Short mmCIF file of all heavy atoms in Angstrom, two decimals:
data_model
loop_
_atom_site.label_atom_id
_atom_site.label_comp_id
_atom_site.label_asym_id
_atom_site.label_seq_id
_atom_site.Cartn_x
_atom_site.Cartn_y
_atom_site.Cartn_z
N MET J 572 4.11 16.47 12.53
CA MET J 572 4.48 15.77 11.12
C MET J 572 3.64 14.52 11.03
O MET J 572 3.73 13.73 11.88
CB MET J 572 6.07 15.45 11.28
CG MET J 572 6.46 15.29 9.84
SD MET J 572 8.32 15.16 9.80
CE MET J 572 8.47 13.32 9.91
N SER J 573 3.12 14.41 9.90
CA SER J 573 2.32 13.15 9.72
C SER J 573 3.19 11.90 9.35
O SER J 573 4.22 12.19 8.71
CB SER J 573 1.28 13.36 8.59
OG SER J 573 1.94 13.66 7.37
N ARG J 574 2.74 10.82 9.72
CA ARG J 574 3.47 9.60 9.52
C ARG J 574 3.34 9.09 8.14
O ARG J 574 2.27 9.35 7.48
CB ARG J 574 3.15 8.59 10.59
CG ARG J 574 3.59 8.88 11.92
CD ARG J 574 3.20 7.83 12.87
NE ARG J 574 1.82 7.74 13.10
CZ ARG J 574 1.24 6.74 13.77
NH1 ARG J 574 2.00 5.83 14.42
NH2 ARG J 574 0.02 6.72 13.98
N ILE J 575 4.29 8.45 7.61
CA ILE J 575 4.23 7.94 6.24
C ILE J 575 4.10 6.36 6.21
O ILE J 575 4.94 5.61 6.76
CB ILE J 575 5.56 8.24 5.51
CG1 ILE J 575 5.90 9.77 5.52
CG2 ILE J 575 5.53 7.69 4.06
CD1 ILE J 575 4.79 10.60 4.80
N PRO J 576 2.97 5.96 5.61
CA PRO J 576 2.80 4.47 5.59
C PRO J 576 3.62 3.85 4.46
O PRO J 576 3.96 4.46 3.48
CB PRO J 576 1.33 4.39 5.27
CG PRO J 576 1.00 5.62 4.44
CD PRO J 576 1.82 6.64 5.06
N ALA J 577 3.91 2.54 4.57
CA ALA J 577 4.60 1.79 3.58
C ALA J 577 4.16 0.35 3.56
O ALA J 577 3.63 -0.09 4.56
CB ALA J 577 6.19 1.83 3.79
N VAL J 578 4.37 -0.32 2.47
CA VAL J 578 3.96 -1.65 2.35
C VAL J 578 5.20 -2.51 2.11
O VAL J 578 6.06 -2.23 1.24
CB VAL J 578 3.02 -1.86 1.10
CG1 VAL J 578 2.79 -3.40 0.85
CG2 VAL J 578 1.68 -1.16 1.30
N ASP J 579 5.34 -3.56 2.93
CA ASP J 579 6.47 -4.56 2.83
C ASP J 579 6.08 -5.36 1.58
O ASP J 579 5.28 -6.24 1.60
CB ASP J 579 6.53 -5.38 4.01
CG ASP J 579 7.73 -6.31 4.03
OD1 ASP J 579 8.22 -6.57 2.89
OD2 ASP J 579 8.16 -6.85 5.05
N GLN J 580 6.87 -5.17 0.54
CA GLN J 580 6.54 -5.84 -0.72
C GLN J 580 6.74 -7.39 -0.60
O GLN J 580 6.24 -8.10 -1.34
CB GLN J 580 7.46 -5.31 -1.86
CG GLN J 580 7.28 -3.85 -2.18
CD GLN J 580 5.86 -3.53 -2.71
OE1 GLN J 580 5.56 -4.06 -3.80
NE2 GLN J 580 5.06 -2.81 -2.03
N GLU J 581 7.66 -7.76 0.30
CA GLU J 581 7.98 -9.18 0.40
C GLU J 581 6.70 -9.93 0.99
O GLU J 581 6.58 -11.14 0.61
CB GLU J 581 9.12 -9.30 1.37
CG GLU J 581 10.43 -8.77 0.90
CD GLU J 581 10.91 -9.45 -0.41
OE1 GLU J 581 10.82 -10.69 -0.45
OE2 GLU J 581 11.26 -8.66 -1.41
N CYS J 582 5.98 -9.32 1.87
CA CYS J 582 4.92 -10.09 2.53
C CYS J 582 3.51 -9.74 1.95
O CYS J 582 2.50 -10.39 2.37
CB CYS J 582 4.92 -9.92 4.00
SG CYS J 582 4.22 -8.42 4.66
N CYS J 583 3.39 -8.79 1.09
CA CYS J 583 2.09 -8.45 0.52
C CYS J 583 1.56 -9.68 -0.32
O CYS J 583 2.31 -10.20 -1.18
CB CYS J 583 2.15 -7.22 -0.42
SG CYS J 583 0.61 -6.84 -1.20
N ILE J 584 0.38 -10.11 -0.05
CA ILE J 584 -0.20 -11.16 -0.73
C ILE J 584 -1.25 -10.77 -1.81
O ILE J 584 -2.04 -11.57 -2.24
CB ILE J 584 -0.90 -12.22 0.24
CG1 ILE J 584 -1.96 -11.50 1.04
CG2 ILE J 584 0.17 -12.77 1.18
CD1 ILE J 584 -2.79 -12.49 1.92
N SER J 585 -1.23 -9.48 -2.21
CA SER J 585 -2.02 -9.01 -3.24
C SER J 585 -3.57 -9.22 -3.05
O SER J 585 -4.35 -9.45 -3.91
CB SER J 585 -1.63 -9.66 -4.59
OG SER J 585 -0.19 -9.55 -4.78
N CYS J 586 -3.99 -9.06 -1.76
CA CYS J 586 -5.40 -9.34 -1.50
C CYS J 586 -6.24 -8.06 -1.88
O CYS J 586 -7.47 -8.15 -1.99
CB CYS J 586 -5.67 -9.63 -0.07
SG CYS J 586 -5.40 -8.24 1.01
N GLU J 587 -5.66 -6.86 -1.99
CA GLU J 587 -6.24 -5.68 -2.31
C GLU J 587 -7.21 -5.01 -1.31
O GLU J 587 -7.95 -4.10 -1.60
CB GLU J 587 -7.10 -5.86 -3.73
CG GLU J 587 -6.19 -6.27 -4.85
CD GLU J 587 -6.91 -6.22 -6.20
OE1 GLU J 587 -7.86 -5.50 -6.33
OE2 GLU J 587 -6.45 -6.92 -7.13
N VAL J 588 -7.13 -5.63 -0.08
CA VAL J 588 -8.03 -5.10 0.94
C VAL J 588 -7.62 -3.55 1.27
O VAL J 588 -8.52 -2.76 1.36
CB VAL J 588 -7.86 -5.81 2.26
CG1 VAL J 588 -8.28 -5.05 3.51
CG2 VAL J 588 -8.53 -7.17 2.17
N CYS J 589 -6.42 -3.28 1.27
CA CYS J 589 -5.99 -1.82 1.60
C CYS J 589 -6.41 -0.95 0.45
O CYS J 589 -6.77 0.16 0.73
CB CYS J 589 -4.42 -1.80 1.78
SG CYS J 589 -3.51 -2.46 0.36
N VAL J 590 -6.42 -1.46 -0.71
CA VAL J 590 -6.74 -0.59 -1.82
C VAL J 590 -8.31 -0.29 -1.79
O VAL J 590 -8.63 0.84 -2.13
CB VAL J 590 -6.45 -1.31 -3.25
CG1 VAL J 590 -6.94 -0.49 -4.43
CG2 VAL J 590 -5.00 -1.50 -3.29
N HIS J 591 -9.02 -1.26 -1.37
CA HIS J 591 -10.49 -0.99 -1.28
C HIS J 591 -10.83 -0.13 -0.06
O HIS J 591 -11.78 0.73 -0.14
CB HIS J 591 -11.28 -2.36 -1.11
CG HIS J 591 -11.30 -3.16 -2.48
ND1 HIS J 591 -12.02 -2.66 -3.47
CD2 HIS J 591 -10.64 -4.26 -2.78
CE1 HIS J 591 -11.86 -3.50 -4.52
NE2 HIS J 591 -11.03 -4.52 -4.13
N LEU J 592 -10.06 -0.27 1.06
CA LEU J 592 -10.32 0.47 2.23
C LEU J 592 -9.86 1.95 2.11
O LEU J 592 -10.45 2.91 2.65
CB LEU J 592 -9.69 -0.14 3.45
CG LEU J 592 -10.45 -1.38 3.97
CD1 LEU J 592 -9.65 -2.02 5.13
CD2 LEU J 592 -11.85 -1.08 4.44
N CYS J 593 -8.75 2.12 1.41
CA CYS J 593 -8.11 3.38 1.33
C CYS J 593 -7.49 3.62 0.04
O CYS J 593 -6.24 3.74 -0.09
CB CYS J 593 -7.10 3.43 2.50
SG CYS J 593 -6.51 5.09 2.90
N PRO J 594 -8.30 3.82 -1.09
CA PRO J 594 -7.81 4.01 -2.39
C PRO J 594 -7.07 5.35 -2.67
O PRO J 594 -6.39 5.41 -3.62
CB PRO J 594 -9.09 3.94 -3.24
CG PRO J 594 -10.21 4.35 -2.37
CD PRO J 594 -9.77 3.88 -0.94
N GLU J 595 -7.14 6.24 -1.68
CA GLU J 595 -6.48 7.50 -1.81
C GLU J 595 -4.96 7.31 -1.55
O GLU J 595 -4.20 8.23 -1.96
CB GLU J 595 -7.03 8.51 -0.81
CG GLU J 595 -8.56 8.86 -0.95
CD GLU J 595 -9.37 7.93 -0.08
OE1 GLU J 595 -8.83 6.95 0.35
OE2 GLU J 595 -10.52 8.29 0.07
N VAL J 596 -4.62 6.26 -0.90
CA VAL J 596 -3.17 5.96 -0.50
C VAL J 596 -2.59 4.79 -1.11
O VAL J 596 -1.46 4.86 -1.58
CB VAL J 596 -3.15 5.82 1.02
CG1 VAL J 596 -1.71 5.46 1.51
CG2 VAL J 596 -3.55 7.12 1.74
N PHE J 597 -3.39 3.75 -1.23
CA PHE J 597 -2.70 2.52 -1.77
C PHE J 597 -3.31 2.26 -3.17
O PHE J 597 -4.48 2.56 -3.49
CB PHE J 597 -3.12 1.31 -0.88
CG PHE J 597 -2.75 1.51 0.53
CD1 PHE J 597 -3.60 1.98 1.49
CD2 PHE J 597 -1.47 1.15 0.91
CE1 PHE J 597 -3.24 2.13 2.83
CE2 PHE J 597 -1.05 1.34 2.25
CZ PHE J 597 -1.96 1.87 3.23
N ARG J 598 -2.52 1.58 -3.96
CA ARG J 598 -3.03 1.02 -5.18
C ARG J 598 -2.15 -0.17 -5.66
O ARG J 598 -1.07 -0.39 -5.14
CB ARG J 598 -3.04 2.06 -6.31
CG ARG J 598 -1.63 2.42 -6.89
CD ARG J 598 -1.91 3.32 -8.15
NE ARG J 598 -0.58 3.91 -8.50
CZ ARG J 598 -0.43 5.14 -9.00
NH1 ARG J 598 -1.42 5.95 -9.01
NH2 ARG J 598 0.79 5.56 -9.32
N MET J 599 -2.71 -1.02 -6.46
CA MET J 599 -1.96 -2.14 -6.92
C MET J 599 -1.01 -1.83 -8.04
O MET J 599 -1.37 -1.18 -8.97
CB MET J 599 -2.96 -3.28 -7.43
CG MET J 599 -4.04 -3.69 -6.47
SD MET J 599 -3.32 -4.14 -4.74
CE MET J 599 -2.48 -5.62 -5.05
N GLU J 600 0.21 -2.10 -7.65
CA GLU J 600 1.33 -1.77 -8.67
C GLU J 600 1.01 -2.48 -9.98
O GLU J 600 0.62 -3.66 -10.08
CB GLU J 600 2.63 -2.31 -8.10
CG GLU J 600 3.82 -1.89 -9.04
CD GLU J 600 5.09 -2.44 -8.34
OE1 GLU J 600 5.10 -3.53 -7.81
OE2 GLU J 600 6.14 -1.78 -8.48
N GLY J 601 1.16 -1.72 -11.05
CA GLY J 601 0.92 -2.27 -12.37
C GLY J 601 -0.42 -1.84 -13.01
O GLY J 601 -0.55 -2.03 -14.16
N GLU J 602 -1.27 -1.30 -12.12
CA GLU J 602 -2.58 -0.79 -12.66
C GLU J 602 -2.28 0.52 -13.45
O GLU J 602 -1.20 1.20 -13.26
CB GLU J 602 -3.54 -0.57 -11.51
CG GLU J 602 -4.20 -1.79 -11.15
CD GLU J 602 -5.25 -1.69 -10.04
OE1 GLU J 602 -5.47 -0.48 -9.57
OE2 GLU J 602 -5.88 -2.58 -9.68
N ASP J 603 -3.20 1.01 -14.15
CA ASP J 603 -3.15 2.22 -14.88
C ASP J 603 -2.06 2.23 -15.97
O ASP J 603 -1.64 3.29 -16.49
CB ASP J 603 -2.98 3.38 -14.00
CG ASP J 603 -4.11 3.44 -12.90
OD1 ASP J 603 -5.16 3.08 -13.23
OD2 ASP J 603 -3.77 3.96 -11.80
N GLY J 604 -1.42 1.09 -16.16
CA GLY J 604 -0.39 1.01 -17.16
C GLY J 604 0.82 1.87 -16.88
O GLY J 604 1.59 2.19 -17.73
N HIS J 605 0.90 2.14 -15.56
CA HIS J 605 2.03 2.94 -15.18
C HIS J 605 3.09 2.16 -14.38
O HIS J 605 2.75 1.73 -13.26
CB HIS J 605 1.62 4.20 -14.36
CG HIS J 605 2.73 5.15 -14.04
ND1 HIS J 605 3.30 5.96 -15.02
CD2 HIS J 605 3.28 5.42 -12.84
CE1 HIS J 605 4.14 6.72 -14.45
NE2 HIS J 605 4.19 6.42 -13.16
N SER J 606 4.24 1.99 -14.79
CA SER J 606 5.26 1.25 -14.13
C SER J 606 6.08 2.16 -13.19
O SER J 606 6.38 3.26 -13.60
CB SER J 606 6.10 0.57 -15.08
OG SER J 606 7.35 0.02 -14.37
N HIS J 607 6.39 1.72 -12.03
CA HIS J 607 7.26 2.43 -11.11
C HIS J 607 8.61 2.05 -11.08
O HIS J 607 9.49 2.45 -10.19
CB HIS J 607 6.68 2.46 -9.65
CG HIS J 607 5.26 3.18 -9.54
ND1 HIS J 607 5.23 4.45 -9.15
CD2 HIS J 607 4.05 2.83 -9.89
CE1 HIS J 607 3.98 4.82 -9.08
NE2 HIS J 607 3.31 3.90 -9.66
N GLY J 608 8.98 1.17 -11.98
CA GLY J 608 10.36 0.76 -12.15
C GLY J 608 10.77 -0.34 -11.30
O GLY J 608 11.88 -0.84 -11.15
N HIS J 609 9.80 -0.94 -10.54
CA HIS J 609 10.13 -2.13 -9.74
C HIS J 609 10.15 -3.38 -10.57
O HIS J 609 9.47 -3.46 -11.59
CB HIS J 609 9.03 -2.29 -8.57
CG HIS J 609 9.01 -1.15 -7.58
ND1 HIS J 609 10.16 -0.98 -6.82
CD2 HIS J 609 8.14 -0.34 -7.28
CE1 HIS J 609 9.87 0.13 -6.06
NE2 HIS J 609 8.62 0.48 -6.25
N ASP J 610 10.75 -4.40 -10.11
CA ASP J 610 10.72 -5.71 -10.70
C ASP J 610 9.28 -6.30 -10.54
O ASP J 610 8.77 -6.23 -9.50
CB ASP J 610 11.74 -6.66 -10.18
CG ASP J 610 13.19 -6.16 -10.63
OD1 ASP J 610 13.26 -5.56 -11.67
OD2 ASP J 610 14.10 -6.40 -9.89
N HIS J 611 8.78 -6.84 -11.57
CA HIS J 611 7.48 -7.57 -11.41
C HIS J 611 7.78 -9.08 -11.29
O HIS J 611 7.94 -9.73 -12.27
CB HIS J 611 6.62 -7.26 -12.60
CG HIS J 611 6.12 -5.88 -12.69
ND1 HIS J 611 4.77 -5.56 -12.44
CD2 HIS J 611 6.67 -4.66 -12.89
CE1 HIS J 611 4.52 -4.26 -12.50
NE2 HIS J 611 5.77 -3.67 -12.74
N ASP J 612 7.81 -9.48 -10.04
CA ASP J 612 8.10 -10.88 -9.82
C ASP J 612 6.84 -11.73 -10.09
O ASP J 612 5.83 -11.49 -9.56
CB ASP J 612 8.63 -11.18 -8.47
CG ASP J 612 7.87 -10.43 -7.33
OD1 ASP J 612 7.18 -9.47 -7.71
OD2 ASP J 612 8.07 -10.75 -6.15
N HIS J 613 6.95 -12.63 -11.00
CA HIS J 613 5.86 -13.58 -11.47
C HIS J 613 4.64 -12.77 -11.93
O HIS J 613 3.55 -13.34 -11.94
CB HIS J 613 5.43 -14.44 -10.27
CG HIS J 613 6.68 -15.01 -9.55
ND1 HIS J 613 7.56 -15.80 -10.20
CD2 HIS J 613 7.05 -14.95 -8.24
CE1 HIS J 613 8.52 -16.14 -9.28
NE2 HIS J 613 8.23 -15.63 -8.08
N GLY J 614 4.81 -11.51 -12.19
CA GLY J 614 3.65 -10.78 -12.79
C GLY J 614 2.59 -10.44 -11.72
O GLY J 614 1.58 -9.88 -12.13
N ALA J 615 2.85 -10.66 -10.48
CA ALA J 615 1.82 -10.43 -9.46
C ALA J 615 1.79 -8.97 -9.11
O ALA J 615 2.82 -8.26 -9.01
CB ALA J 615 2.10 -11.22 -8.18
N HIS J 616 0.56 -8.39 -9.00
CA HIS J 616 0.40 -7.05 -8.59
C HIS J 616 0.43 -6.94 -6.98
O HIS J 616 -0.20 -7.70 -6.34
CB HIS J 616 -1.00 -6.52 -9.04
CG HIS J 616 -1.02 -6.31 -10.55
ND1 HIS J 616 -2.10 -5.72 -11.22
CD2 HIS J 616 -0.07 -6.55 -11.46
CE1 HIS J 616 -1.80 -5.73 -12.47
NE2 HIS J 616 -0.62 -6.13 -12.64
N LYS J 617 1.28 -6.11 -6.56
CA LYS J 617 1.32 -5.88 -5.12
C LYS J 617 0.91 -4.45 -4.79
O LYS J 617 1.08 -3.57 -5.59
CB LYS J 617 2.72 -6.22 -4.58
CG LYS J 617 3.16 -7.60 -4.80
CD LYS J 617 4.21 -8.09 -3.89
CE LYS J 617 4.33 -9.60 -4.12
NZ LYS J 617 5.28 -10.14 -3.17
N SER J 618 0.52 -4.29 -3.59
CA SER J 618 0.12 -2.88 -3.12
C SER J 618 1.23 -2.01 -2.91
O SER J 618 2.32 -2.38 -2.47
CB SER J 618 -0.70 -3.08 -1.78
OG SER J 618 -0.86 -1.76 -1.35
N ILE J 619 1.10 -0.75 -3.41
CA ILE J 619 2.18 0.25 -3.05
C ILE J 619 1.48 1.44 -2.52
O ILE J 619 0.33 1.64 -2.68
CB ILE J 619 2.97 0.62 -4.37
CG1 ILE J 619 1.98 1.25 -5.43
CG2 ILE J 619 3.73 -0.55 -4.96
CD1 ILE J 619 2.66 2.02 -6.51
N VAL J 620 2.29 2.24 -1.75
CA VAL J 620 1.74 3.51 -1.29
C VAL J 620 2.15 4.57 -2.36
O VAL J 620 3.32 4.82 -2.60
CB VAL J 620 2.46 3.92 0.06
CG1 VAL J 620 2.10 5.24 0.54
CG2 VAL J 620 2.08 2.86 1.17
N TYR J 621 1.14 5.12 -3.03
CA TYR J 621 1.44 6.08 -4.07
C TYR J 621 1.21 7.54 -3.65
O TYR J 621 1.59 8.48 -4.22
CB TYR J 621 0.61 5.75 -5.34
CG TYR J 621 -0.87 6.14 -5.30
CD1 TYR J 621 -1.30 7.27 -5.90
CD2 TYR J 621 -1.74 5.27 -4.65
CE1 TYR J 621 -2.77 7.57 -5.81
CE2 TYR J 621 -3.09 5.55 -4.55
CZ TYR J 621 -3.51 6.77 -5.16
OH TYR J 621 -4.84 6.99 -5.11
N ASN J 622 0.37 7.56 -2.54
CA ASN J 622 0.07 8.94 -2.00
C ASN J 622 0.00 8.94 -0.45
O ASN J 622 -1.06 8.84 0.09
CB ASN J 622 -1.23 9.39 -2.66
CG ASN J 622 -1.54 10.85 -2.26
OD1 ASN J 622 -0.77 11.60 -1.73
ND2 ASN J 622 -2.84 11.34 -2.52
N PRO J 623 1.13 8.88 0.18
CA PRO J 623 1.19 8.78 1.64
C PRO J 623 0.35 9.56 2.45
O PRO J 623 -0.15 9.22 3.53
CB PRO J 623 2.67 8.90 1.95
CG PRO J 623 3.42 8.81 0.67
CD PRO J 623 2.47 9.33 -0.37
N THR J 624 0.06 10.76 2.01
CA THR J 624 -0.72 11.77 2.76
C THR J 624 -2.14 11.91 2.18
O THR J 624 -2.76 12.90 2.44
CB THR J 624 0.00 13.13 2.76
OG1 THR J 624 0.23 13.53 1.46
CG2 THR J 624 1.35 13.07 3.50
N GLY J 625 -2.55 10.96 1.44
CA GLY J 625 -3.90 11.07 0.70
C GLY J 625 -5.07 10.84 1.59
O GLY J 625 -6.15 11.20 1.24
N ALA J 626 -4.86 10.33 2.83
CA ALA J 626 -5.93 10.02 3.68
C ALA J 626 -5.56 10.27 5.10
O ALA J 626 -4.35 10.30 5.38
CB ALA J 626 -6.42 8.62 3.52
N PRO J 627 -6.52 10.52 6.07
CA PRO J 627 -6.23 10.64 7.46
C PRO J 627 -5.56 9.40 8.01
O PRO J 627 -5.74 8.34 7.53
CB PRO J 627 -7.55 10.85 8.15
CG PRO J 627 -8.53 11.28 6.98
CD PRO J 627 -8.00 10.56 5.81
N GLU J 628 -4.68 9.55 9.04
CA GLU J 628 -3.95 8.49 9.58
C GLU J 628 -4.92 7.36 10.15
O GLU J 628 -4.61 6.20 9.99
CB GLU J 628 -3.06 9.02 10.74
CG GLU J 628 -1.84 9.67 10.27
CD GLU J 628 -0.87 9.96 11.39
OE1 GLU J 628 -1.05 9.37 12.53
OE2 GLU J 628 0.08 10.75 11.12
N SER J 629 -6.11 7.82 10.56
CA SER J 629 -7.00 6.86 11.11
C SER J 629 -7.59 5.85 10.07
O SER J 629 -7.70 4.80 10.26
CB SER J 629 -8.26 7.54 11.73
OG SER J 629 -8.85 8.41 10.80
N LYS J 630 -7.72 6.45 8.87
CA LYS J 630 -8.19 5.66 7.73
C LYS J 630 -7.04 4.71 7.24
O LYS J 630 -7.36 3.55 6.92
CB LYS J 630 -8.67 6.57 6.54
CG LYS J 630 -9.43 5.88 5.49
CD LYS J 630 -10.06 6.79 4.50
CE LYS J 630 -10.82 6.01 3.42
NZ LYS J 630 -11.35 6.87 2.41
N ILE J 631 -5.82 5.18 7.25
CA ILE J 631 -4.74 4.37 6.91
C ILE J 631 -4.56 3.32 7.95
O ILE J 631 -4.24 2.10 7.54
CB ILE J 631 -3.46 5.20 6.77
CG1 ILE J 631 -3.55 6.30 5.66
CG2 ILE J 631 -2.23 4.39 6.44
CD1 ILE J 631 -2.45 7.32 5.61
N GLU J 632 -4.71 3.62 9.22
CA GLU J 632 -4.60 2.60 10.28
C GLU J 632 -5.67 1.56 10.10
O GLU J 632 -5.35 0.37 10.41
CB GLU J 632 -4.70 3.35 11.58
CG GLU J 632 -3.49 2.99 12.49
CD GLU J 632 -3.24 4.04 13.52
OE1 GLU J 632 -4.18 4.72 14.00
OE2 GLU J 632 -2.01 4.25 13.79
N LEU J 633 -6.82 1.93 9.64
CA LEU J 633 -7.88 0.90 9.39
C LEU J 633 -7.40 -0.14 8.36
O LEU J 633 -7.53 -1.38 8.54
CB LEU J 633 -9.09 1.54 8.97
CG LEU J 633 -10.29 0.57 8.70
CD1 LEU J 633 -10.78 -0.05 10.09
CD2 LEU J 633 -11.58 1.33 8.09
N ALA J 634 -6.82 0.30 7.32
CA ALA J 634 -6.29 -0.54 6.26
C ALA J 634 -5.20 -1.41 6.85
O ALA J 634 -5.15 -2.57 6.57
CB ALA J 634 -5.76 0.35 5.09
N MET J 635 -4.32 -0.75 7.64
CA MET J 635 -3.27 -1.41 8.29
C MET J 635 -3.68 -2.61 9.16
O MET J 635 -3.18 -3.74 9.06
CB MET J 635 -2.56 -0.43 9.25
CG MET J 635 -1.07 -0.30 9.12
SD MET J 635 -0.50 1.01 10.14
CE MET J 635 0.29 2.05 8.89
N ASP J 636 -4.77 -2.33 9.96
CA ASP J 636 -5.30 -3.32 10.89
C ASP J 636 -6.09 -4.41 10.11
O ASP J 636 -6.11 -5.56 10.58
CB ASP J 636 -6.26 -2.72 11.88
CG ASP J 636 -5.56 -1.79 12.89
OD1 ASP J 636 -4.36 -1.86 12.94
OD2 ASP J 636 -6.31 -0.91 13.47
N SER J 637 -6.48 -4.08 8.91
CA SER J 637 -7.28 -5.02 8.07
C SER J 637 -6.41 -5.89 7.13
O SER J 637 -6.93 -6.86 6.59
CB SER J 637 -8.31 -4.28 7.27
OG SER J 637 -9.19 -3.51 8.13
N CYS J 638 -5.22 -5.54 7.08
CA CYS J 638 -4.28 -6.28 6.09
C CYS J 638 -4.06 -7.65 6.73
O CYS J 638 -3.59 -7.82 7.80
CB CYS J 638 -3.02 -5.54 5.95
SG CYS J 638 -1.74 -6.51 5.12
N PRO J 639 -4.55 -8.76 5.98
CA PRO J 639 -4.31 -10.09 6.52
C PRO J 639 -2.92 -10.53 6.70
O PRO J 639 -2.67 -11.46 7.50
CB PRO J 639 -5.06 -10.95 5.44
CG PRO J 639 -5.01 -10.13 4.18
CD PRO J 639 -5.05 -8.70 4.61
N ALA J 640 -2.02 -9.91 6.01
CA ALA J 640 -0.60 -10.32 6.11
C ALA J 640 0.19 -9.33 7.02
O ALA J 640 1.33 -9.51 7.25
CB ALA J 640 0.01 -10.32 4.75
N ALA J 641 -0.57 -8.27 7.52
CA ALA J 641 0.09 -7.24 8.41
C ALA J 641 1.35 -6.78 7.89
O ALA J 641 2.47 -6.67 8.60
CB ALA J 641 0.34 -7.94 9.80
N CYS J 642 1.31 -6.35 6.63
CA CYS J 642 2.52 -5.84 5.99
C CYS J 642 2.59 -4.40 5.71
O CYS J 642 3.46 -3.86 5.04
CB CYS J 642 2.91 -6.70 4.77
SG CYS J 642 1.42 -6.68 3.54
N ILE J 643 1.61 -3.66 6.26
CA ILE J 643 1.59 -2.21 6.11
C ILE J 643 2.11 -1.66 7.49
O ILE J 643 1.71 -2.04 8.54
CB ILE J 643 0.18 -1.67 5.85
CG1 ILE J 643 -0.46 -2.35 4.67
CG2 ILE J 643 0.29 -0.17 5.50
CD1 ILE J 643 -1.96 -2.03 4.46
N TYR J 644 3.05 -0.73 7.35
CA TYR J 644 3.71 -0.17 8.53
C TYR J 644 3.98 1.25 8.41
O TYR J 644 3.96 1.77 7.27
CB TYR J 644 4.98 -0.99 8.80
CG TYR J 644 5.98 -0.92 7.73
CD1 TYR J 644 7.10 -0.01 7.82
CD2 TYR J 644 5.88 -1.71 6.65
CE1 TYR J 644 7.99 0.16 6.80
CE2 TYR J 644 6.90 -1.65 5.65
CZ TYR J 644 7.90 -0.77 5.69
OH TYR J 644 8.88 -0.63 4.65
N TRP J 645 4.21 1.93 9.51
CA TRP J 645 4.57 3.39 9.45
C TRP J 645 6.08 3.42 9.22
O TRP J 645 6.90 2.86 9.97
CB TRP J 645 4.23 4.03 10.74
CG TRP J 645 2.78 4.18 10.96
CD1 TRP J 645 2.03 3.51 11.90
CD2 TRP J 645 1.82 4.95 10.20
NE1 TRP J 645 0.68 3.84 11.83
CE2 TRP J 645 0.58 4.73 10.81
CE3 TRP J 645 1.96 5.79 9.14
CZ2 TRP J 645 -0.64 5.35 10.23
CZ3 TRP J 645 0.76 6.34 8.64
CH2 TRP J 645 -0.45 6.17 9.16
N ARG J 646 6.47 4.19 8.23
CA ARG J 646 7.89 4.41 7.94
C ARG J 646 8.30 5.70 8.59
O ARG J 646 7.88 6.80 7.97
CB ARG J 646 8.09 4.47 6.46
CG ARG J 646 9.49 4.58 5.96
CD ARG J 646 9.57 5.45 4.73
NE ARG J 646 8.68 5.01 3.65
CZ ARG J 646 9.00 4.16 2.71
NH1 ARG J 646 10.17 3.68 2.63
NH2 ARG J 646 8.15 3.89 1.76
N ASP J 647 8.86 5.74 9.68
CA ASP J 647 9.26 7.10 10.27
C ASP J 647 10.64 7.14 10.96
O ASP J 647 11.52 6.33 10.59
CB ASP J 647 8.22 7.56 11.32
CG ASP J 647 7.94 6.43 12.41
OD1 ASP J 647 8.76 5.47 12.43
OD2 ASP J 647 6.98 6.56 13.09
S1 SF4 H 1322 -4.07 -5.51 2.59
FE1 SF4 H 1322 -1.92 -6.07 2.83
S2 SF4 H 1322 -1.65 -8.08 1.77
FE2 SF4 H 1322 -3.56 -7.03 1.07
S3 SF4 H 1322 -2.85 -5.93 -0.78
FE3 SF4 H 1322 -2.74 -4.41 0.92
S4 SF4 H 1322 -0.69 -4.59 1.71
FE4 SF4 H 1322 -1.02 -6.47 0.37
#
């Protein structure tokens, strides 16, 4: 069973590193004009996992390791 990544919305600093490294899995909330029903605090875009199985775990782990706030984790 593959692991499911998640982003801690509280600590995401909206740097977009994960989105650039692994766009198949992460994207900035609020892009594409599509709302996911979350509250938009201060209008800041934060990273969300929109396709948990969109990339190999190794690629997701690279984004994880590169996140400056270390807020991407495996939800299992
Ligand atoms: S790399 Fe981390 S801090 Fe940067 S946007 Fe992604 S989850 Fe947020």
